[in-house]
Every structure is written in structure tokens, then in C-alpha cells.
Amino acid sequence: MNELMRSETEDAYGLKKLQNVILNIAQYIDALCTEYGIGYRLMGGSALGAKRHGGFIPWDDDLDVFMTPTEYERFRDIFNSYGDHFRYTLQELGAVDERVITAKLRLNNSYYEEPVVKGWKMHHGVYVDIFILHTCPDNRLAQYWQYFWAKYLIVKGLANKPYDRRGGLAGLAVKMARVLPKRFLLGYGLKQVYRWRDTDTECFCNFLGKALFKNGKYSHDDFAQTKRVPFETIELNVGAGLEHFLTARFGDYMKPPSPKRIRYEQHASTWNLDTHDYSDRSDEKYLF
């Protein structure tokens, strides 16, 4: 495992070693995409970390990238044909007819425990998240339609899992969704989210994530082109309109969040690089 973290980066949260493992996975994704001309860009807190910290946010224990549907499908085909399958596994969540909700490139022979899926029969390796950057229609009613089905898929995926920390209306929706079959309307919902992928519109969107309607839409110009930026000791891609995106997504993005929000955003409860058996992965088809 290469040492990619800056020596001067502080380790106040005890995550620097994990961040280095994650950054090695990201470096592999970057190398594969660069070699085969596949686009990607950092998203969410990873894009914010690149701008505000020159690398990881100190308390961040994951890394996220955006790929458009076409970019992801090319990445999947290239990885399946030429990828390093000894070291990595591409895990697709909510896959139906070549469409996916999200994907993770996981490091084999590692373990990353998340309470939400603890005990599930699946690959639990340390990972980089690959989120799909969808085309958002210009028509407002069509946007609400796409948003509804994206959030339905999120809620149904949470309902499939035994652990959930949501309360209020979101928690109630999760409880109600538990009475439905585990893959109920998965294929139809995905079709509605992907429906505008080949159209020319003003916006991209990430409704299949935490963002709500008002901050889940992003200017097409912010992501259509990419640029290289420093990230710890390497360089990774971000959208060319990085600052505009961060303002739309986070508001005053240079202001750190509260300690409570920091705890909420973290994923792992424990991790290690010991050999782990992934022979039985029968639960993965319900992870969406």
C-alpha cells in the first residue's frame, strides 16, 4: 500500500491510515479512467475536502466520485475486462438491466464495518463510492417525478436493512416500506431516474443521495468538464465549476460543520486489512 497522505496532515480523528487506504483505491480508479479516457469527478465531501483542505476532510472516512451513466458503464466494462480483480471488486447496488443505483470499488482482503449492514452476507471491504450523475429534465414536473422515484429507491433500500437511525417522516416512510417485497418497483424506479440520460438539459442531479430537491440539482456547466486539483500527494478530477457546485450544495462551504454533524457523516465503526471471506454474497441484491 503506497503512502499517499501528506506527512504534515494531522490525524486528530485517528483516520489517516484508513484515508490512505481509500486514497490508494481512488488512485487506481483515476489511473484506469485516465488510461481509457473515462470521465469522473469528486463529489460531495470529497470535492469539498479538495477545495477546503487540499485532500481529505480530517474527519472523513470515505471518498465519493461522480460518473455519468455512460462513463460508469464504460468504467464497468473496462474493469470487468482489464481490471485488477485480485485486489479489487466492483460491487453494484440495486442493479437491474445494466442500470445501478450506485456502485463501490472495494479492496479485497480488507474489512470496513458499517452498522447499517453489519452481519450481512456481502463484500465488506474498504471502498470508494461511485455515484451516478444523472441528467435532470428542465421541466419542473418531470424533475419532481424523477426526484420521487429516486427517493423511493433510497427509502426502500433503507427499509431492507435492519438498522436505521432516521426519525420523523423519513423514519415513518422507511417503516412503511418494510411491508413491501424487497425489490418492489426497483426496475421501474430506476427507469424513471435514468429516463433523461440522452437528453440535452441545463442540469445534472444527484437525487439518489442525501441531497434534497433544492440542493440536489447542479448546473450542467459545473460538471460537463473536469480539471485536476491536488488531493493529498496526488491529483484527482473535480468538476470545472467546483466552487459554484460547492456553494450550491453547501452554502458557505468554508465553514466547518458542528460536532454533531461530523458524527452523523461518518460511516465506519471499525476496519482492518485482514483477509476476509466474501464467498457468500447473497444479501447484496437487496442493498439499494
Side-chain angles (χ1 to χ4, degrees):
M1 192 68 62
N2 296 324
E3 181 54 57
L4 302 178
M5 300 294 290
R6 292 168 293 179
S7 59
E8 66 271 21
T9 299
E10 297 182 1
D11 194 17
Y13 293 85
L15 294 171
K16 191 172 180 179
K17 186 176 180 180
L18 172 61
Q19 290 169 343
N20 185 64
V21 175
I22 294 170
L23 192 53
N24 272 264
I25 304 172
Q27 185 184 48
Y28 174 76
I29 292 173
D30 176 73
L32 199 64
C33 288
T34 300
E35 180 178 358
Y36 290 95
I38 302 170
Y40 81 90
R41 65 286 291 156
L42 297 177
M43 65 159 288
S46 301
L48 175 59
K51 177 64 178 180
R52 193 168 71 193
H53 302 275
F56 281 100
I57 296 174
W59 52 86
D60 209 354
D61 58 0
D62 72 342
L63 189 143
D64 306 323
V65 303
F66 268 145
M67 293 183 185
T68 66
T70 299
E71 289 167 347
Y72 173 71
E73 288 161 8
R74 287 198 63 219
F75 176 82
R76 175 178 58 199
D77 291 345
I78 293 297
F79 179 79
N80 286 342
S81 298
Y82 309 111
D84 185 349
H85 299 278
F86 178 77
R87 295 182 65 193
Y88 301 108
T89 293
L90 183 62
Q91 181 184 63
E92 296 188 321
L93 309 184
V96 177
D97 296 332
E98 302 297 310
R99 302 181 184 93
V100 299
I101 290 179
T102 187
K104 298 174 185 286
L105 190 69
R106 290 196 183 262
L107 178 66
N108 296 332
N109 303 319
S110 68
Y111 181 73
Y112 181 95
E113 180 179 289
E114 296 177 277
V116 70
V117 290
K118 184 178 180 180
W120 276 57
K121 298 172 183 177
M122 56 176 283
H123 194 311
H124 286 277
V126 180
Y127 64 86
V128 165
D129 264 318
I130 303 172
F131 288 90
I132 308 302
L133 183 64
H134 289 283
T135 300
C136 187
D138 291 330
N139 179 273
R140 182 55 65 93
L141 289 178
Q143 290 175 1
Y144 282 127
W145 179 257
Q146 185 185 41
Y147 179 81
F148 169 81
W149 283 106
K151 293 310 180 187
Y152 166 80
L153 294 172
I154 294 297
V155 168
K156 190 68 191 77
L158 289 171
N160 289 347
K161 302 166 187 173
Y163 169 88
D164 187 61
R165 56 185 173 181
R166 295 173 183 247
L169 291 175
L172 178 61
V174 169
K175 291 178 182 178
M176 293 175 63
R178 286 200 170 110
V179 305
L180 302 173
K182 286 189 173 182
R183 290 175 68 87
F184 186 70
L185 292 179
L186 169 60
Y188 181 80
L190 274 172
K191 284 182 181 180
Q192 305 316 304
V193 176
Y194 275 76
R195 185 172 174 180
W196 291 272
R197 62 173 293 176
D198 294 321
T199 58
D200 184 15
T201 69
E202 295 181 357
C203 293
F204 289 115
C205 65
N206 180 35
F207 295 150
L208 281 170
K210 297 177 182 178
L212 300 178
F213 185 82
K214 64 180 181 180
N215 59 1
K217 295 183 294 181
Y218 316 121
S219 169
H220 183 274
D221 293 339
D222 288 350
F223 288 112
Q225 303 296 322
T226 63
K227 62 182 179 181
R228 305 286 284 179
V229 297
F231 198 96
E232 301 297 339
T233 64
I234 65 174
E235 289 188 345
L236 297 173
N237 288 355
V238 296
L242 175 63
E243 292 79 9
H244 186 264
F245 158 68
L246 291 176
T247 300
R249 179 67 180 85
F250 299 106
D252 182 6
Y253 57 83
M254 297 302 290
K255 181 181 178 181
S258 67
K260 181 179 179 181
R261 187 65 189 180
I262 289 173
R263 289 193 298 271
Y264 178 82
E265 293 292 342
Q266 292 178 326
H267 299 76
S269 57
T270 186
W271 69 279
N272 62 59
L273 298 179
D274 294 333
T275 302
H276 197 74
D277 181 13
Y278 306 118
S279 57
D280 186 351
R281 295 165 55 183
S282 56
D283 287 336
E284 286 192 356
K285 62 183 177 180
Y286 302 127
L287 287 172
F288 64 93

